[in-house]
Every structure is written in C-alpha cells, then in structure tokens.
Amino acid sequence: VQPGTKTILICEDDENLRLLIRAVVGPGYHLVEAEAGDEAVALAHEHHPDLIILDLMLPRMSGLDVLSSLREEAPPGNAHILVMSAWPNSEEPSRNAGADSFLPKPFDPDDLTELITSVLGAPKT
Amino acid sequence: VKSLSLSGRMIVASLVLAVLVAGVFVVLIRAVSAVDDARLREAHSKDVEAATVGVEKLVIDLETGLRGLVISGNPRFLEPWAQARKELPDQLNQLDQLVKGTPEQELRARQLRRAINSYINDYSFNLINIRRQNPAAAASQDSTEEGTRLTNSIRGRFDELLTAENSRAAASAAAANTQSDRALVLGISALIACALLIISFGLYLARSTAEPIRGVATAASSVAAGDLSVRLPEQGPGEIGELTVAFNRMAAELERNQLELQAQNEQLRDSERRKSELVRIVSHELRTPLASILGLTSLLLTREIPAEDRTRYLEIISSEGRRLSSLLSDFLDVERLEDGHLPLDRELIDMGRIVAEQVRLFEGQSESHKLEMNVARSPLPVHGDPNRLAQVVSNLLSNAIKYSPEGGTVEVVAERDDGHVKVSVRDEGLGIADELHDRVFAKFFRGDAPESGIPGSGLGLTIARSVVEAHGGSMNFESGKGQGSVFWMELPVAAAGQ
C-alpha cells in the first residue's frame, strides 16, 4: 500500500453486493472486506480505515452493534461510517448509533462515488 | 325451595291486614251490641221495678182499706181495697210478662202472686166477715198481727224481687262495661298491630325490593361504564331473585362476548403485525437482489467495463433476477396457502430421481459444504407434483447449507420406509434451540437467522410442509442448538397400477 492511500473497509455479507461496491469504488483506494460483524470490528482495529461501508444485517454481529463497538474506541472510531441497508426505516437508528451517512439499498452507483469522493477526496491514481 | 314471589308476599300481607282489620271490627261491633244489650236490660229492669212498685202500691191500698174498715167500721173505707183488688190481676200479669224468661224471677213473681192472693182470699175476706160479725175480734191484737205478718212477708218478697232485678241489671251493666273496656283495649292493640304491620311491611318492601333494585341499578351503571365483571348476589324474594339471576346471566354473556371480541381483536392485531412484518421482510428481501441488479446495470450502462467483468456482471444480474422471481413465487405460494388452494399436478414420479437432481444442482454452490447422497437403487414411486416436491427437497438442502455457515457435511437419504418414501437431510450446522421447536414451521419464523445474517423470508419450511401435507405426507425434524438438524418428509408410496 502506497503511503497516503485511503483505506475503505467494506462490511457486506452478500457476495454480489461486495462485488458491486468494489466495482463502484474503483481503483485508487486500499480495500478491506468483511463478511460478518465481528470480522468487521477486528479489521477496523487492524487497518484503521478512513471510511467504513457497513451493512446492517450481518452474521454473528449486527451492523448496529458494530457501530456502537467502533464508536467506543478512538482510533477506528474516528473513521467515517456509511451505513447501507435495505431495511425500511433504518436511517434513524443507524444515525443514532453513530453512522455519519446513510444510503438506502438499492443505491445509485454515482451517489456512492460522490459520497466517497466528498469524504476521502479524489482517489490516488 | 322456590320462595314465594314478591307479588304473592304482598297479597299475603294485604290479606293478613284485611283479616286483622275485620277482626277489630267484629270485636268492636260485638262490644257495641253488648253495651246496647246491657242498656236494654237496664231499661227492662226499670220496667220490672215500676211494675213491682205498682203492685206494691196496690198491696198498700189493700192494707190501708182493710185497716180503715177495722178501725172505723165504715164500709166506705174498704173502697181502696176493692179498687186495688180489681186492678191487681192486670198489674200482676204485667209483672209476670216482664219477668218471663228469667226462671228465678218468674218463681218470685209466682210466690208474690200467691202471697197476695192468700192475703186477699184467706186474710182479707176472713177479716171482713169477722168484722161484720164481731168488730172487737177484728180489731184484736191477733188479727192485726196476722195482717202485719202477711204484709211484711209480701213486702219481703217485693224487696227480694227488686234486689234480684237490681243485681241482674248491675251485673249486666258491669259485664257490658268489661266487654267494652276489653273491646277498646283489643281494638287499640289491633290498630297498633296494624300500624306496626304496615310499617314493617313497608320496611320489608324497602329492604327486599328497593335495596336490591338499587343494587341492580348500580351494577347496571358499572356495566354501562365498561366493567363487565360485576355480579350480584343471586338472592331476594321471587321476582327480585329472578332479576338478579337474569342480570348476572346478561353480564356473564356480555363479558364472554367481550372476551371473544378481545381475542378476535388480538388475533387481528397479531395478523396485522405479521402482515407488516411481511412487508418489511418482503421489501428487504426484494431490495437486496434489486440493489445488485440496478447497481450493476447502471455500471454497465455508464462506465467502461472490461469484457470479462461485463460477463460476470450479467451472470450476477441473471441469478439475482431468478432469486427475485423465486422470492415472489414463495410470497404467492403463501398467499395461496392462506386461501387454501395450492394447485398440484398428480403424476407418478420417482422421488429418488428428484432428490438426485436437486443434489446435483446444489453441488458446487458452496466450497465449504460436502454433499453426501444415499438414494435407494430401486425406484421410489410417489403420486405427486414433481415441481413442488423438487421445491421441497431444494428448500431442505438450501436450509441445510444456509444454517451451517461454518461448512460441513450435508447428508441426503432417500429410501423406502414402512409403506412410505422417506427423504431426510441432515446437517452439522447451528441447530435449533428446544424452545423454538414448535415455531419452526410457522410463517416468517426465522429463529436466530436475522441476527446471524442468514437471508431468507421465513416462508420456505411453511410452504414445504404444506406441500408435503397436500400430498398426504408429513414433515418433521430433530435438532438441538449447536448440534445440527435433520429434517425429513414421508410420502405415501404410490400403489402399483396407479
């Protein structure tokens, strides 16, 4: 990983959606992927990501639990956390649990790109 | 024992009052007539007295006449005697008439008559004859004494008769007095008794009707205010008792209806909750594949994608489309299950072949799972809908894989078992806690799956069991938390020639 490259942690249990998010984010970022909630917390501690894209329905540990766990500690806790969920009415509980932004599924790839750029700046090319 | 009705009691009380009042009147009337009798008897006594005094006067006239004759010797002096003698029979008859009916007075009147007759006939005529022949002898002491003795005796009889008559009058007056006093006391006490009876009956009415009726009114107000548990003590005379019994029946019926309505309401609320839960699940389950389809489509349309990625994206779009389609079929199946008509084809099929096909479809879908298949060599003939039964097997296989996220062996057995074709799928996955066992086949029940991140609608097993049961078969399972699960279905073997 080149110095200065921003790290994005993708927590999503649906393989196809992981692939989509990877494709939308594109090159220029350091990507870390988790399939389950506990895995997401462990990777956050390990990689100190700048942005965490978090699904709510995750195996073993729910997205909301991941949120409150991450918000308790400083180094991973200052990452920008984007919650993406297909559950209706889930924006408010997500923001209450500490999410910085929210995108409902299905999502427009351009919206995600725009959000990532505004949070992390343009990717390193 | 059925108590006398309230109206019966009122009639009885009125009768008692009427009898009491009538009794008082009888006593009073009898007292009045007794006083009347006494007054009549008194008047009668006065008459007897007057008649006696009349006789006495005539007797005195007799004596005076005789004495005048004896002393003067002048026959003119005998006139009062003659006059009295003429009047006496009438006077005595009158007396007899007056004392008639009273034997002792009749006797006295008779004795008096005899004494007077004896005085006139034996003494007077004798004396007059003696006077005519020997005036000195007539005036002798002897003859005078004889006259005095006779008149004294007559006077004594007068006294006796008058005294007896007086005492009779006094006795009847006293009896009348006593009777009227007694009648007065009886009448007053009967009137007091009537008053007490009326008051106590009034109190009784107030206590036995007004109070219970007030109780019913209060209870009715409680019912009107919504408290249907209120009950009255089932007592009170006749109609009041019936009223309380009827009231309690009404309240009980209302309460039962209310409870039924509450239960129905609860069911409706429950079904409403399930419906909204369904909407949540449906929207989530549909949005996840939709997110892949729409996102990848958008990328394909707007960005430069390398050829091999493009193929991969299209494959994902296609499979997610099928996932959507199968989800929609499940929702529709549940809808049909609820309506009670799930259409089924009936063909002679070999369950062994259907199981083998499904296992082949699942093979290679997961790297961490190993599928072991053990299908009987001889055909397993069943009458049924091949697509639906394939759907059931597919559901069992997909559950076995989904609920063993750490991977492991999934063992599929299809065999003949005692007149049945039995298909079982065993996994080494999460298993199901005992307390959740009775809800496993319930609609939308997913156990710990949502927390575990295992996708699904909670409809698969509901549909699977209904399909098996529609084929005359049964479905069951054994499981324990952390010990994996085995689900099996049993279908009747198709008879040869069918």
Side-chain angles (χ1 to χ4, degrees):
Chain A
V1 181
Q2 288 182 9
T5 305
K6 304 278 186 183
T7 301
I8 301 177
L9 170 59
I10 302 172
C11 313
E12 170 63 64
D13 62 327
D14 190 292
E15 195 189 336
N16 295 331
L17 279 178
R18 275 206 309 278
L19 182 144
L20 172 63
I21 293 169
R22 250 190 340 257
V24 172
V25 172
Y29 298 104
H30 174 221
L31 294 183
V32 185
E33 294 182 22
E35 287 181 38
D38 50 356
E39 197 186 340
V41 173
L43 288 175
H45 280 276
E46 188 184 331
H47 294 278
H48 295 177
D50 302 285
L51 171 65
I52 301 175
I53 299 177
L54 185 64
D55 183 21
L56 285 186
M57 205 163 97
L58 291 168
R60 299 197 286 276
M61 188 174 177
S62 82
L64 291 179
D65 290 341
V66 172
L67 262 174
S68 40
S69 165
L70 291 182
R71 284 307 182 210
E72 274 170 20
E73 288 165 70
N78 52 20
H80 185 103
I81 301 182
L82 161 65
V83 169
M84 293 176 70
S85 173
W87 283 110
N89 310 319
S90 56
E91 176 164 2
E92 203 190 323
S94 304
R95 286 193 186 274
N96 288 343
D100 296 299
S101 42
F102 182 89
L103 266 186
K105 291 179 191 167
F107 60 92
D108 186 336
D110 291 342
D111 289 346
L112 181 57
T113 309
E114 202 175 301
L115 208 142
I116 292 168
T117 314
S118 75
V119 171
L120 302 180
K124 283 240 172 200
T125 45
Chain B
V1 182
K2 194 171 183 287
S3 69
L4 196 59
S5 74
L6 196 65
S7 47
R9 284 168 197 226
M10 287 168 85
I11 289 167
V12 166
S14 308
L15 280 177
V16 168
L17 267 179
V19 165
L20 212 63
V21 169
V24 168
F25 269 95
V26 166
V27 167
L28 286 176
I29 286 166
R30 281 189 54 195
V32 166
S33 78
V35 169
D36 226 32
D37 276 0
R39 218 182 48 242
L40 279 176
R41 216 170 298 149
E42 223 178 327
H44 179 79
S45 293
K46 286 272 174 337
D47 288 346
V48 172
E49 215 178 308
T52 312
V53 168
V55 173
E56 199 172 3
K57 195 184 137 271
L58 292 175
V59 169
I60 289 166
D61 282 353
L62 284 176
E63 198 184 359
T64 313
L66 269 181
R67 202 165 288 160
L69 175 76
V70 170
I71 293 167
S72 69
N74 189 348
R76 269 189 52 225
F77 278 97
L78 203 57
E79 263 170 40
W81 178 86
Q83 186 65 32
R85 198 186 142 227
K86 210 167 77 192
E87 289 175 16
L88 261 171
D90 275 357
Q91 200 72 37
L92 279 170
N93 283 345
Q94 199 193 341
L95 183 63
D96 276 349
Q97 214 57 48
L98 282 169
V99 297
K100 209 170 183 177
T102 318
E104 73 264 22
Q105 293 294 72
E106 275 178 31
L107 180 67
R108 287 192 185 106
R110 266 201 308 279
Q111 285 170 344
L112 184 64
R113 180 191 285 269
R114 257 205 306 279
I116 290 170
N117 283 343
S118 155
Y119 179 78
I120 294 170
N121 299 328
D122 301 344
Y123 174 70
S124 306
F125 285 119
N126 240 355
L127 192 66
I128 293 166
N129 284 336
I130 291 168
R131 172 66 187 84
R132 213 172 280 156
Q133 291 152 14
N134 183 3
S140 76
Q141 201 178 350
D142 275 2
S143 104
T144 315
E145 273 178 11
E146 170 73 2
T148 307
R149 195 185 56 78
L150 284 173
T151 49
N152 276 350
S153 147
I154 290 169
R155 211 165 277 131
R157 292 196 190 285
F158 278 129
D159 286 348
E160 226 175 273
L161 205 148
L162 282 175
T163 309
E165 196 59 41
N166 276 340
S167 73
R168 266 171 51 77
S172 80
N177 260 346
T178 314
Q179 202 165 350
S180 74
D181 282 354
R182 202 185 299 149
L184 211 62
V185 170
L186 243 165
I188 288 170
S189 26
L191 283 177
I192 290 171
C194 281
L196 286 176
L197 204 69
I198 288 170
I199 289 169
S200 58
F201 189 58
L203 286 175
Y204 166 75
L205 273 183
R207 208 175 51 80
S208 68
T209 43
E211 272 176 30
I213 285 173
R214 199 176 307 127
V216 173
T218 311
S221 302
S222 303
V223 168
D227 176 14
L228 299 183
S229 66
V230 64
R231 293 288 182 281
L232 292 168
E234 292 190 359
Q235 59 191 34
E239 293 87 339
I240 298 291
E242 286 169 28
L243 180 63
T244 55
V245 169
F247 181 90
N248 283 350
R249 245 201 330 262
M250 177 195 76
E253 188 64 17
L254 282 175
E255 194 178 25
R256 200 177 60 77
N257 286 344
Q258 194 195 34
L259 288 179
E260 254 173 40
L261 278 176
Q262 276 172 351
Q264 280 175 8
N265 220 10
E266 192 48 48
Q267 268 179 358
L268 279 177
R269 262 203 294 273
D270 204 45
S271 122
E272 207 50 43
R273 268 197 298 275
R274 282 162 193 267
K275 281 242 157 67
S276 72
E277 182 62 15
L278 170 67
V279 169
R280 266 171 57 77
I281 292 168
V282 168
S283 53
H284 181 264
E285 291 305 305
L286 295 183
R287 274 172 181 163
T288 305
L290 264 180
S292 296
I293 293 171
L294 293 176
L296 291 172
T297 314
S298 174
L299 285 187
L300 286 169
L301 289 172
T302 57
R303 299 189 189 183
E304 289 283 324
I305 309 291
E308 74 243 47
D309 282 351
R310 203 180 301 150
T311 312
R312 176 85 188 106
Y313 291 1
L314 286 172
E315 277 168 7
I316 291 173
I317 289 168
S318 166
S319 88
E320 293 291 66
R322 279 197 304 277
R323 187 172 147 197
L324 273 179
S325 164
S326 113
L327 268 172
L328 284 171
S329 306
D330 280 359
F331 294 136
L332 284 176
D333 284 350
V334 164
E335 203 58 24
R336 285 186 195 144
L337 279 170
E338 285 190 333
D339 292 348
H341 39 73
L342 191 71
L344 287 178
D345 287 343
R346 289 287 186 171
E347 296 170 21
L348 186 61
I349 49 176
D350 178 7
M351 265 322 273
R353 239 186 53 199
I354 287 179
V355 170
E357 275 170 15
Q358 290 303 316
V359 170
R360 212 164 23 251
L361 282 175
F362 275 87
E363 260 168 357
Q365 275 199 11
S366 166
E367 288 163 11
S368 55
H369 294 89
K370 184 166 164 260
L371 265 64
E372 263 179 23
M373 185 171 69
N374 191 347
V375 175
R377 289 210 182 143
S378 56
L380 302 170
V382 159
H383 255 290
D385 186 320
N387 293 325
R388 287 295 181 188
L389 291 174
Q391 182 191 357
V392 172
V393 176
S394 157
N395 176 263
L396 293 184
L397 284 170
S398 120
N399 279 350
I401 290 167
K402 264 203 305 197
Y403 289 94
S404 40
E406 311 289 327
T409 304
V410 174
E411 187 191 359
V412 186
V413 178
E415 62 191 351
R416 234 182 226 249
D417 178 33
D418 194 24
H420 287 99
V421 169
K422 182 175 176 183
V423 178
S424 62
V425 178
R426 180 187 299 276
D427 67 56
E428 300 170 336
L430 303 171
I432 303 158
D434 284 352
E435 63 268 22
L436 303 179
H437 276 204
D438 52 350
R439 287 159 63 202
V440 163
F441 292 106
K443 254 190 306 177
F444 304 123
F445 177 74
R446 300 182 60 219
D448 301 328
E451 292 77 43
S452 310
I454 295 170
S457 60
L459 296 173
L461 279 175
T462 312
I463 296 167
R465 183 159 81 163
S466 295
V467 167
V468 170
E469 283 174 354
H471 282 84
S474 63
M475 176 175 276
N476 218 327
F477 71 99
E478 272 174 14
S479 184
K481 194 159 176 68
Q483 293 164 15
S485 309
V486 52
F487 279 79
W488 67 88
M489 61 164 162
E490 287 180 326
L491 292 166
V493 176
Q498 256 188 318

